[in-house]
Amino acid sequence: MTQTGLPPGAGDVLAHRIARYACEFDAEALPEAVTAYVGQRLLDSLACMVGAYDAGPVRIAREIAAQVPVDQAGVFGRAARTTPDLAAFANGVMVRFLDYNDGYMGKEPGHPSDNIPACIAVAQAEGASMREFVASVVIAYEIQMRLQDAASLNRRGWDHVGFILPACAAAVSRLMGLDVTRTTEAINLAINGHIPMRQVRSGTLSDWKGCSAANAARNAVFAAGLARAGMTGPSPVFEGEMGFFRQVTGPFALDVDTFGNPANGDYAILRSLTKTFPTNGELHTAIWAAIGLRDRIPDPAAIRAIRIETSEFNARVLADAEKWHPTTRETADHSLPYNVARALIDGDITLDSYRPESIADPLVRALMVLTEVTEAPELTALFPNLLANRVTVELASGEHCTSEVRTGPGGREQPMRDTDFARKFGKMAAPHLDTAAQEAVLAFVTTLEDQTGFDPLFDAMKGDRQS
């Protein structure tokens, strides 16, 4: 009989089952398609990172990391190193700040690539093989996305990054070489002390909108370190009288035995979505719909009315009161009426769409006044399998133009290709990295499994920064 060091019955609890999955995960049996997805998501994350190099919250995160100069894990865009938890935070802020990284919508939205910076930091600090790094990313995606499918956090007032806590704790525990018992404790510690409130995505959105996920990953790395040292955490953290089910989500079922494995080939990462616009993923199809109408509108000033029909989630989350009067980048990139109006004016959504002068543009404000957002039950019925939106524009001539888009580039039906990710990286990197550095990054990702460490990637991503 296997000795686990757990109390009787503890092996049946969800945290232990998740830990066992992470520890027993077969890194050598990963299909080539799954490994390729990891490379694509890594390059996508690097594009988001370099595009956010000059953002205020990123500068703050780098400064905090610089206060602890330890030669363990790198921070992208600077030469010095720091602790794995602070590197996970600083790099995680870079990935998330532009709202341009990948996503997934189940009962709860989320961005599984938020785990990648923590996996890099711990792999670097532990000297883990690249195969183990790839496995840790797949594990993190698997756990987070399965939890997203199982339960909603936002409906009960909690932030979706709460699911990063167990996912990232399990993934980095694997990289640290922890056994099932200590990985279980890492999950217990990560969850119990760090449940984030949904207020981060309610009202006028602040800098913390782009930092909350990074902080969850940082807490997960710290929890795994505590567990490695022998710290135990509250248990059973999911099923307990004051645990996650009762206090946060309500009860839900999660069959860990059906998680992605060589026998079923059903790895969750293959269902993750990527972004073609630096904005909320659920409104991408509304942007595509507006762009599709742009050629039929000779002059945006001729628009008399705009009607956006959408899902219940979008109407509730992306068209609440504050989204009609955005004053910050974070609020604007989550505003359904703003993004449709901006796309009707410009025929595109870019980083410049969220500059202060763009947000304050009198024309975009005028179009938002003319906009109505309503739930369409038939679009809600498609959700979350299809993130559909319908946009109708009425012109001064009396003509009505309608475009409904149910999926688009980056969706499951139209996945981005290697060339698309390379193009996205090049666009984000151009202001910061020269051609040689960009080519070095692409070469690293293309030969990911042959790499023996992350130093060449950090060197290339540094550009001419020395601090």
Side-chain angles (χ1 to χ4, degrees):
M1 179 173 160
T2 302
Q3 299 296 315
T4 65
L6 294 168
D12 296 329
V13 301
L14 181 55
H16 183 266
R17 297 199 304 274
I18 291 174
R20 188 173 63 238
Y21 174 79
C23 291
E24 296 177 356
F25 187 85
D26 191 345
E28 298 304 320
L30 278 174
E32 184 178 341
V34 174
T35 301
Y37 261 60
V38 172
Q40 289 179 342
R41 270 51 184 173
L42 173 58
L43 183 57
D44 194 60
S45 298
L46 295 171
C48 297
M49 285 183 187
V50 70
Y53 268 3
D54 294 331
V58 170
R59 290 196 297 269
I60 293 170
R62 277 207 197 95
E63 289 170 5
I64 296 299
Q67 293 173 12
V68 186
V70 178
D71 188 18
Q72 293 182 335
V75 175
F76 284 102
R78 62 186 300 267
R81 294 188 177 193
T82 186
T83 60
D85 59 325
L86 288 179
F89 179 72
N91 295 332
V93 173
M94 294 181 215
V95 168
R96 191 72 190 91
F97 178 76
L98 295 178
D99 212 328
Y100 209 3
N101 60 321
D102 75 1
Y104 178 70
M105 173 59 77
K107 292 181 179 177
E108 183 66 28
H111 304 269
S113 58
D114 288 329
N115 294 280
I116 290 177
C119 292
I120 292 174
V122 176
Q124 195 175 28
E126 298 295 319
S129 70
M130 203 57 66
R131 172 59 63 169
E132 279 297 304
F133 163 72
V134 169
S136 73
V137 172
V138 177
I139 289 166
Y141 271 69
E142 194 72 29
I143 297 169
Q144 180 175 331
M145 290 173 64
R146 299 283 183 171
L147 286 166
Q148 288 178 239
D149 283 337
S152 172
L153 292 170
N154 71 85
R155 285 184 175 277
R156 296 170 70 108
W158 305 106
D159 190 30
H160 67 252
V161 308
F163 286 149
I164 292 174
L165 296 165
C168 191
V172 300
S173 291
R174 165 72 182 234
L175 288 167
M176 291 180 183
L178 305 191
D179 62 15
V180 176
T181 299
R182 295 201 175 188
T183 300
T184 302
E185 298 299 355
I187 293 170
N188 294 339
L189 290 163
I191 291 175
N192 189 83
H194 307 104
I195 302 297
M197 296 188 298
R198 180 72 184 177
Q199 187 58 37
V200 69
R201 282 169 234 287
S202 300
T204 298
L205 305 189
S206 67
D207 287 346
W208 197 247
K209 190 264 281 184
C211 303
S212 180
N215 192 53
R218 177 185 71 90
N219 288 326
V221 173
F222 184 66
L226 291 174
R228 174 159 61 179
M231 184 79 73
T232 61
S235 181
V237 76
F238 285 101
E239 301 90 345
E241 181 181 356
M242 295 295 174
F244 198 79
F245 290 163
R246 293 194 182 212
Q247 302 298 318
V248 180
T249 58
F252 63 81
L254 193 65
D255 186 356
V256 180
D257 290 336
T258 65
F259 281 20
N261 61 68
N264 63 28
D266 185 24
Y267 295 94
I269 192 172
L270 298 175
R271 295 184 281 120
S272 58
L273 313 175
T274 50
K275 293 185 176 183
T276 50
F277 302 112
T279 187
N280 172 273
E282 288 75 57
L283 57 74
H284 268 48
T285 55
I287 295 171
W288 283 117
I291 292 172
L293 294 174
R294 183 67 183 85
D295 289 342
R296 300 167 62 183
I297 301 170
D299 181 0
I303 294 174
R304 180 186 293 173
I306 302 169
R307 183 182 183 191
I308 306 170
E309 295 170 277
T310 190
S311 66
E312 181 278 334
F313 177 89
N314 280 5
R316 173 169 53 88
V317 174
L318 306 177
D320 59 326
E322 286 78 9
K323 304 306 189 302
W324 294 90
H325 308 283
T327 57
T328 65
R329 184 201 193 283
E330 292 78 9
T331 307
D333 71 25
H334 269 52
S335 168
L336 184 56
Y338 175 81
N339 281 279
V340 168
R342 190 79 263 166
L344 287 170
I345 295 169
D346 298 332
D348 197 5
I349 292 293
T350 68
L351 298 183
D352 287 341
S353 300
Y354 307 111
R355 295 167 62 90
E357 54 268 35
S358 298
I359 296 173
D361 179 5
L363 180 55
V364 81
R365 296 288 177 163
L367 291 184
M368 291 174 69
V369 170
L370 301 176
T371 300
E372 175 188 23
V373 175
T374 59
E375 180 197 352
E378 69 275 17
L379 299 186
T380 296
L382 298 173
F383 190 90
N385 293 323
L386 293 172
L387 309 177
N389 285 280
R390 184 185 304 128
V391 177
T392 299
V393 173
E394 179 183 352
L395 300 177
S397 64
E399 180 183 3
H400 287 72
C401 306
T402 299
S403 177
E404 178 181 316
V405 179
R406 296 189 171 192
T407 188
R412 203 177 309 168
E413 298 76 18
Q414 301 179 51
M416 289 171 61
R417 299 164 299 179
D418 288 345
T419 52
D420 298 319
F421 290 107
R423 190 179 304 112
K424 179 175 176 177
F425 176 77
K427 186 166 78 170
M428 291 297 99
H432 306 281
L433 306 180
D434 61 25
T435 300
Q438 293 179 45
E439 290 176 350
V441 171
L442 293 175
F444 181 96
V445 175
T446 302
T447 59
L448 182 62
E449 289 190 278
D450 298 328
Q451 300 296 326
T452 58
F454 285 95
D455 286 354
L457 180 62
F458 278 88
D459 289 342
M461 288 283 285
K462 185 175 63 178
D464 59 1
R465 288 167 160 77
Q466 299 300 320
S467 59

